Amino acid sequence: MVKIVAIGEPMIELNAMTVGKLRDVTYFEKHVAGAELNFCIAAKVNGVDCSLIAKVGDDEFGYNVIEYARGKGVDTSMVKVDPKLPTAVFFIQRGYPVPMRSISFYYRKGSAGSSLSPSDIDVSKIREADLVHTTGITLAISDSAKEAAMEGLRNSRKSSLDTNIRLKLWSPEKARETLLKVIPEVDILVTDPDDARIIGNVSEPDEAFSFFSKMGVSTLVYKTGIEGTYVYHEGEKFVQRGYHVQVEDPTGAGDSLSGTFISLLLKRKSVDYALSHAVASATLVVTTRGDNEIIPDEESAEKFLKEFK
Amino acid sequence: MVKIVAIGEPMIELNAMTVGKLRDVTYFEKHVAGAELNFCIAAKVNGVDCSLIAKVGDDEFGYNVIEYARGKGVDTSMVKVDPKLPTAVFFIQRGYPVPMRSISFYYRKGSAGSSLSPSDIDVSKIREADLVHTTGITLAISDSAKEAAMEGLRNSRKSSLDTNIRLKLWSPEKARETLLKVIPEVDILVTDPDDARIIGNVSEPDEAFSFFSKMGVSTLVYKTGIEGTYVYHEGEKFVQRGYHVQVEDPTGAGDSLSGTFISLLLKRKSVDYALSHAVASATLVVTTRGDNEIIPDEESAEKFLKEFK
Amino acid sequence: MVKIVAIGEPMIELNAMTVGKLRDVTYFEKHVAGAELNFCIAAKVNGVDCSLIAKVGDDEFGYNVIEYARGKGVDTSMVKVDPKLPTAVFFIQRGYPVPMRSISFYYRKGSAGSSLSPSDIDVSKIREADLVHTTGITLAISDSAKEAAMEGLRNSRKSSLDTNIRLKLWSPEKARETLLKVIPEVDILVTDPDDARIIGNVSEPDEAFSFFSKMGVSTLVYKTGIEGTYVYHEGEKFVQRGYHVQVEDPTGAGDSLSGTFISLLLKRKSVDYALSHAVASATLVVTTRGDNEIIPDEESAEKFLKEFK
Amino acid sequence: MVKIVAIGEPMIELNAMTVGKLRDVTYFEKHVAGAELNFCIAAKVNGVDCSLIAKVGDDEFGYNVIEYARGKGVDTSMVKVDPKLPTAVFFIQRGYPVPMRSISFYYRKGSAGSSLSPSDIDVSKIREADLVHTTGITLAISDSAKEAAMEGLRNSRKSSLDTNIRLKLWSPEKARETLLKVIPEVDILVTDPDDARIIGNVSEPDEAFSFFSKMGVSTLVYKTGIEGTYVYHEGEKFVQRGYHVQVEDPTGAGDSLSGTFISLLLKRKSVDYALSHAVASATLVVTTRGDNEIIPDEESAEKFLKEFK
Amino acid sequence: MVKIVAIGEPMIELNAMTVGKLRDVTYFEKHVAGAELNFCIAAKVNGVDCSLIAKVGDDEFGYNVIEYARGKGVDTSMVKVDPKLPTAVFFIQRGYPVPMRSISFYYRKGSAGSSLSPSDIDVSKIREADLVHTTGITLAISDSAKEAAMEGLRNSRKSSLDTNIRLKLWSPEKARETLLKVIPEVDILVTDPDDARIIGNVSEPDEAFSFFSKMGVSTLVYKTGIEGTYVYHEGEKFVQRGYHVQVEDPTGAGDSLSGTFISLLLKRKSVDYALSHAVASATLVVTTRGDNEIIPDEESAEKFLKEFK
Amino acid sequence: MVKIVAIGEPMIELNAMTVGKLRDVTYFEKHVAGAELNFCIAAKVNGVDCSLIAKVGDDEFGYNVIEYARGKGVDTSMVKVDPKLPTAVFFIQRGYPVPMRSISFYYRKGSAGSSLSPSDIDVSKIREADLVHTTGITLAISDSAKEAAMEGLRNSRKSSLDTNIRLKLWSPEKARETLLKVIPEVDILVTDPDDARIIGNVSEPDEAFSFFSKMGVSTLVYKTGIEGTYVYHEGEKFVQRGYHVQVEDPTGAGDSLSGTFISLLLKRKSVDYALSHAVASATLVVTTRGDNEIIPDEESAEKFLKEFK
């Protein structure tokens, strides 16, 4: 069976039950999230085994992450429990100041997850995997986590990276500098115009592909939102438009898109098939508060696509 | 006063409080539903008396159905309480795998409601009624319920049937075979392209009318969704487009459409009036989780239509 | 710093947690509202001090109003506590009979707020303020409240009035008669086609401006809904279209529009800037159940406008 | 079948979802209540028909009352809908300032229910009933309601009154004066030490019985809380202690006690049986927020008593 | 590591959010439950591996059971998915008619779980286990399930049975007859006075031990509620009183008691230690709505016991 | 008017909506808390002005703290907004592992509040105050906060300290060392046996008083839980037993006790009066999830005491 290893910090998400400024929100709904865990769950739902390399705290939220991920079928045998540091949490503010958009407020500084280091990477497991995945978030949260991620990428048979630049975690300069170093290690790159502008001062899809392919990227997944997701792969260009639905919270949509697309590609599905499923998956994710629960399996994505074609 | 008798199983509905896979839903909201009960409530709200012939269990959910229906003004004097069998329940999954669509999971096998039989039909009451209504669901849930429904239709002064084919309850073959026998007993038929395809391999409105009118149907209500509802009545064809609104749960919309249309027709309102009210009613039903609470009275439907014209 | 005084009744709002007829709503969410308090909060969020002149009951809901308004930065030193009369409450029914619209059911007859009288108006504070604001609601709830409002307007350096005709509070005839007397005291008038028709039998924007400017109004804010809000000011005409968003409850949107527009005008922002912010503010208010919590500050409104331009 | 007529105002209850000052409560749960309606439901659950004579508003809350009462089996054919006045509402604050106690805040002044008058009393129906019931609340809310209640009592074959003095509705002096006039019309009196002190300056059970029996009362139900409920009936004295349970909201417990006791007495059950069931009923009512939903039928009360004996 | 195999039907539990008759409950909270699954989770939390042998439906609730159990560390590799039959559900009514007690309403007839049969038992796994556990529920739900349970017990190295007689599933006669056949296969028996009376017409602890030990039971766990749990083991008698806490829902307490006691015994803890932990565990379970989430690990049980000693 | 200054970190509290392990809690209710803010609110409710010296982040939660405290009447003019650091949050787990007890999980490391330093202390305001209050928490969260607190105590006319040792924030050794230095600066000390054991290896009330009075403490408030709170003041010893109530969450009870006691003492009420009110206040706080909303004013505490005497 195809197997992925993902490296990154899982977190407890506290999602506002009502739209508006967080100061006026009384109730929060807890979910388990984190870009790489979301990716892993998308892979698993699509029939690809996925192991998460991560650290959590020796606290209720840490065991929450492990139980949830294990329940969803993610291999958690490489999730370590740090005896001292806490599991990270973040809060989601929805619909303010922009309707249908969300903002995250992180409490992850000094967290167990950000203390991940190269010693936490089991290189033998990395080498066995068909693909190693990480994101710009892991590169941003701490130097040791960045080193851990790079240790993973360097030893991988194949690798993917979602740039995922979060300006609450690092400056554009720091992000650019780091990503320019890391991207050459990567086979499949997932990014979007905002991030491409920071990294390479490019924004048009073709221009972005030209830029990143020169850096050695062989497959580019370029997300421009509702207008469409572009894929450049083996000399071909593909595009899939998004779908208009009632938006609850877009958080996690990108992770589900990349996790679905890449895992279906690894399963040797066509790019068209993988891309349409990936966009279906991301579309469903924006209709709910959680980041990964609603990710559809292949049969369900087909039902979605039959209605929305 | 005009009077309807409806025959069919009322149920307890457990509606998911959040969109997504039922496995990830923590809270459920209870409603009272069932196609024929929904129809009856639509009739009553529109000023037409309606009696329900049905069975429920001698349990909390059974009394729940009776108290709710009675509160809404439905005559429940012919709802029998079975001493042994349970009241049926069903769960609604919303927005997965298709946004704005719902899926029902039934626990109605061996229920009190499905044990309905011809002996539960008070023929004298049937003969007094202006109309007897039932649906394909009653025909599907058990042989005895089917016989009960047919006993009702056969003894009616006028009758209506909503085909309502639920493939979780019977196969397309069984549905077709049964409906081909029952439809000739019916004056007013309510159906849609999916069901028409199963029954007569027809789907276009005119084609469907041609097919069903040959079977003896005098009035056809043909629901094609947001594009429009067609009515063929006394040699004329009418159509009313649907309205775009925020969708919470479409369950019950069809019942409210047929209940409103038919009861207004019985009140000698024009087809245009009855059809526009019927579509207004169905539109409101999709904006809420319950199947029948929001059904508008005539004055309220007029307010709706004034805004949405 | 610029300073506004607003005169009118604050209330406790019980907002239906579910869409539909209030009889079928089980849970209600409490908010603090009232047209003039909403206006005051909009002013404060936009950096303009605002004092509320009002009365509340010596009860939990009265202290609720004071604590909430004070927390939001409104000056409550002129909110008096009546020892005997209760604080008014109202219930909001949402989405019935018209989706995305709301209806208010008031329990304000004989309330503390409606007992406001000219003796509650501290004329020295009125004279110090840059602007005095009130609405047609204050004119409608009682004769003494109307006199209090007029005492405020007459002694103001500058004044604004939102006509806000609520036909549950007075007849169209009474509304017209009163407003025809009051409007000549007003500098800035906020109204809409429904109200303009009642007052002056006018409805087209230019026609309305012609009518009201003859009565002495120097600035007219004319709200025609999603199609646009018109402003006539110093010989110029401005218009801003509305934005399509998911509607939760439109209650309070107009107050936030006028509070934002007028306070930014007082801060000497351009009409274009003030109007676009005002419409952004009103748009956000319709996405939530509360009337005033989500009102954006200038920086947040800019973020909104950047996305929705 | 035994039949009761009860006269009094039904109301919409908004019960705080959290314990504490109402100003800090965000969510409210709606119930249908009112002392006489609670009494009626207790009668019906215990197998005694009950009709309510009352008025409600022509509004959602009015139809809410009717649908709810009808659903619960109460005869609502004598509940009139007033075209102008609103249905009364009240709010319940729980656990403050005294844990396990509740306080009601009424919005019933000028309500439809308080406009009840002798012309609303159908004397022929009163004369047919086995018992007419009312409470001190009906005597307090308006002069016309008091007259209506007295019209009912005077024409009854047998009558019961729960003194139910609410000092938010009238002064102790007014209460005493009125009750001293009304009690001589009454066969069964339900009261407690607080009320007995106001009416007759008595508080000990025997002392109270002596006082009231001199006024013509033949049966006295005397509620002293958890210590016990005393009954004086046909020369005998009975007592039943209360039960310690987790208290959610005591509102309505007294109504359920009197409704259960009196209806079982009318069914010719023994005083011991009726009293133990009445206390079981009241005990269950304090464990929930609603006033009447949990009232047990005879079989269920027996199960309760088997466990708590 | 010590290893248990448990045989029995896992279910989806819909727990009433409010106390009272189910007809009046609007919201339900979903949990995953089932006597043997609860037992398994108690074992796992106490450091003993546990595998569940069971069947679920190929539906959302079936995968819900698997994901939940797997998340909690239960080995679900022997939980089969039936392609046709549904996963069982049940509803919990709390606090009516007896405060602090619960009643379950099952929808498990014809469920996937009740179709368990001897062919689902992997005898090699049974033989490897340190203990095989089942309950009277598995013996009651179907003949094939009973045969499956007996196949497990007969091939076990050591076995335990909780009699768990549910009179909604079988008659006392059927229960007695079956249990008298099964108990001789069992090493550790868990029961209570109600069940012992049905099985052997015994109720006093010593009397019960005498009866069951003659049938070959070597260890007896005898639960008499708050008064105490008795253990007879290797010629000694132990007792542990219960603790008074605020009761939310007692469902599952017995399973957690037996699962904790037996797994600690297998870990060679003293009977005193195991019994006190078992009672602590059961006490915590009654304070929550779920059946198994709050089961304490050894360290947490020690904290509990330190406070409640 | 009497005036207090309190120094310490306010926080956002996320309180579990259900009892049990946090991993199994889905919903959290937000409150504003912090030992010194709770104290301040208790003072204000009891008629004593209170200013909070603190820092919060320039984020939604920071403004949440300010708006809430200002709404409750606390003077927030000395609450500074840090442009970079976040507002602290904490989570409350209730009822596990010990029923009726709570555990806090802090995310306050590196928070704005813990960056408080002596430069944030306006000594002129300190000198004007009748009393300066802080707690052991402020001494524990950072060196700069400790210095700030000591700057406040040293410059006070009168001071109080609640030892409030939280072992998640510092070691017993560190706590002892620091408190032994700080207590000599303090006039009124609030502590309990657990803390007294750490500080002075004392636990019996008299023994504790002997120990602390030698350190210069003139008034000792010694909380031993439900058994009683002891006060040693001007040569006299007072004691007040606690009250048994339904416990929701004890967090904040101690702060409300000390805030109520000390503010009433400053208002020259008798120790008996102040102490009984303080215990009433703490008792009410344990019945709710928030830390400070339910704190009773004097009149309400009297009502409580009348019922519970």
Side-chain angles (χ1 to χ4, degrees), chain A residues 196-215:
Chain A
R197 221 170 276 121
I198 288 170
I199 302 166
N201 200 23
V202 292
S203 67
E204 285 307 302
D206 288 358
E207 189 189 22
F209 176 62
S210 164
F211 178 83
F212 290 116
S213 67
K214 277 176 201 149
M215 292 177 72

Side-chain angles (χ1 to χ4, degrees), chain D residues 114-132:
Chain D
S114 66
S115 78
L116 192 78
S117 77
S119 67
D120 299 310
I121 306 295
D122 180 339
V123 174
S124 68
K125 291 287 174 59
I126 291 286
R127 288 189 181 136
E128 281 167 20
D130 295 282
L131 182 104
V132 171

Side-chain angles (χ1 to χ4, degrees), chain B residues 14-72:
Chain B
L14 279 300
N15 205 317
M17 287 299 286
T18 43
V19 156
K21 306 176 190 175
L22 279 199
R23 72 185 78 177
D24 300 309
V25 171
T26 304
Y27 293 97
F28 289 85
E29 187 177 88
K30 197 187 65 184
H31 292 271
V32 178
E36 295 80 8
L37 174 57
N38 296 341
F39 183 99
C40 250
I41 292 175
K44 188 68 195 175
V45 172
N46 281 286
V48 172
D49 280 345
C50 189
S51 302
L52 185 68
I53 294 183
K55 291 181 77 175
V56 296
D58 180 20
D59 48 31
E60 280 299 317
F61 288 159
Y63 295 108
N64 196 165
V65 165
I66 292 172
E67 292 187 359
Y68 179 78
R70 188 168 57 198
K72 290 296 180 197

Side-chain angles (χ1 to χ4, degrees), chain A residues 27-69:
Chain A
Y27 293 98
F28 290 85
E29 187 176 87
K30 197 187 65 183
H31 293 271
V32 178
E36 296 81 6
L37 174 57
N38 295 341
F39 184 99
C40 250
I41 291 175
K44 189 69 195 174
V45 172
N46 280 287
V48 172
D49 281 345
C50 189
S51 301
L52 184 68
I53 295 183
K55 293 180 76 174
V56 296
D58 180 21
D59 48 30
E60 279 300 315
F61 288 160
Y63 294 107
N64 196 165
V65 165
I66 291 172
E67 292 187 359
Y68 179 79

Side-chain angles (χ1 to χ4, degrees), chain F residues 14-67:
Chain F
L14 278 302
N15 205 317
M17 286 300 285
T18 42
V19 156
K21 307 177 191 177
L22 278 199
R23 73 185 78 178
D24 299 310
V25 171
T26 304
Y27 293 98
F28 289 85
E29 187 177 87
K30 197 187 66 184
H31 292 272
V32 178
E36 296 80 6
L37 174 56
N38 295 341
F39 184 98
C40 252
I41 291 175
K44 187 69 195 174
V45 172
N46 280 286
V48 172
D49 281 344
C50 189
S51 303
L52 184 68
I53 294 182
K55 291 180 77 175
V56 296
D58 181 20
D59 48 29
E60 279 299 316
F61 287 160
Y63 295 108
N64 196 164
V65 165
I66 291 173
E67 292 187 0

Side-chain angles (χ1 to χ4, degrees), chain A residues 12 14 17 21-31 59-61 63-64 67 85-89 91 93 96 105-107 109 289, chain F residues 12 14 17 21-31 59-61 63-64 67 85-89 91 93 96 105-107 109 289:
Chain A
I12 292 298
L14 278 301
M17 287 300 285
K21 307 176 190 176
L22 279 199
R23 73 185 77 177
D24 299 310
V25 171
T26 303
Y27 293 98
F28 290 85
E29 187 176 87
K30 197 187 65 183
H31 293 271
D59 48 30
E60 279 300 315
F61 288 160
Y63 294 107
N64 196 165
E67 292 187 359
L85 301 172
T87 306
V89 303
F91 294 83
Q93 174 174 288
Y96 182 82
F105 294 86
Y106 298 114
Y107 286 82
K109 216 171 191 171
R289 282 189 294 272
Chain F
I12 291 297
L14 278 302
M17 286 300 285
K21 307 177 191 177
L22 278 199
R23 73 185 78 178
D24 299 310
V25 171
T26 304
Y27 293 98
F28 289 85
E29 187 177 87
K30 197 187 66 184
H31 292 272
D59 48 29
E60 279 299 316
F61 287 160
Y63 295 108
N64 196 164
E67 292 187 0
L85 302 173
T87 306
V89 304
F91 294 83
Q93 173 174 287
Y96 182 82
F105 294 86
Y106 299 113
Y107 287 81
K109 217 171 189 171
R289 282 189 293 272

Side-chain angles (χ1 to χ4, degrees), chain F residues 164-200:
Chain F
N164 244 334
I165 299 177
R166 301 285 158 86
L167 294 177
K168 290 192 174 174
L169 300 178
W170 54 358
S171 66
E173 295 71 32
K174 190 76 195 302
R176 179 188 321 116
E177 181 195 355
T178 305
L179 285 161
L180 287 176
K181 271 188 214 146
V182 176
I183 291 170
E185 306 283 350
V186 167
D187 301 297
I188 304 175
L189 187 73
V190 183
T191 191
D192 62 25
D194 284 347
D195 285 12
R197 221 171 275 119
I198 288 170
I199 302 166

